[in-house]
Amino acid sequence: MYCKNLIFLTATSCLLITANAHAETNAQIGGGYHARYIEDASSDYSVDFGSPVFSVRLIPHENFAFATNYYYNGSGSYSQGSNSGPSVFETSGLELNFLLGTSFIDKGFYGYAGLGYFSEHWESTTSSSDYIATGLQAPIGLGYNFGD
């Protein structure tokens, strides 16, 4: 699918719990909610979905981490043009990211940026349409650690 003037918004909200797996490596697990909205004004195309997300982050050093998010059992809606009706679909996806941050393990606020890969599967429940999207992504974010 090729879209000009694409508006693409993604939000993932997650609560992560830190566990000290080894003396030098920290791990965080968590859950939250993943939401996405995509719109192409030139073709009157729009899609939105939301789903629960499960997250794992391995932190071998306080300033970088490997993170994954798996979202599943999501649902959303799609429409294109005023003559086509909306289509309802189910979605799932996986993200793998390398993150650089200010400090992923110290108590307090932290910020991060990174590079990652995503794969999503959308399947229509109202038609036989099936769509798989993959690509690179650049995650950025802010967080807060409640304890050491």
Side-chain angles (χ1 to χ4, degrees), residues 99 112-114 138-142:
L99 306 174
Y112 63 88
I140 57 172
L142 297 171

Side-chain angles (χ1 to χ4, degrees), residues 14-148:
C14 225
L15 174 64
L16 295 171
I17 300 168
T18 302
N20 199 357
H22 299 289
E24 298 297 320
T25 301
N26 289 293
Q28 297 174 333
I29 59 171
Y33 191 77
H34 180 94
R36 183 162 296 182
Y37 177 76
I38 302 169
E39 180 179 289
D40 181 358
S42 67
S43 67
D44 206 16
Y45 164 86
S46 67
V47 64
D48 66 90
F49 72 85
S51 63
V53 64
F54 175 73
S55 299
V56 175
R57 188 180 288 170
L58 295 177
I59 308 168
H61 185 273
E62 70 174 315
N63 298 110
F64 68 88
F66 300 99
T68 183
N69 295 312
Y70 174 68
Y71 40 99
Y72 57 96
N73 293 334
S75 62
S77 61
Y78 156 88
S79 65
Q80 185 167 6
S82 58
N83 294 329
S84 65
S87 175
V88 178
F89 60 89
E90 295 177 347
T91 185
S92 63
L94 178 69
E95 299 175 356
L96 303 171
N97 299 304
F98 174 73
L99 306 174
L100 295 172
T102 54
S103 178
F104 290 107
I105 56 176
D106 293 334
K107 185 176 181 177
F109 285 99
Y110 64 91
Y112 63 88
L115 183 64
Y117 172 82
F118 74 93
S119 176
E120 294 178 353
H121 180 227
W122 302 357
E123 183 177 359
S124 175
T125 58
T126 55
S127 71
S128 61
S129 298
D130 194 31
Y131 181 68
I132 295 175
T134 61
L136 296 177
Q137 62 184 12
I140 57 172
L142 297 171
Y144 186 85
N145 285 326
F146 291 95
D148 295 331

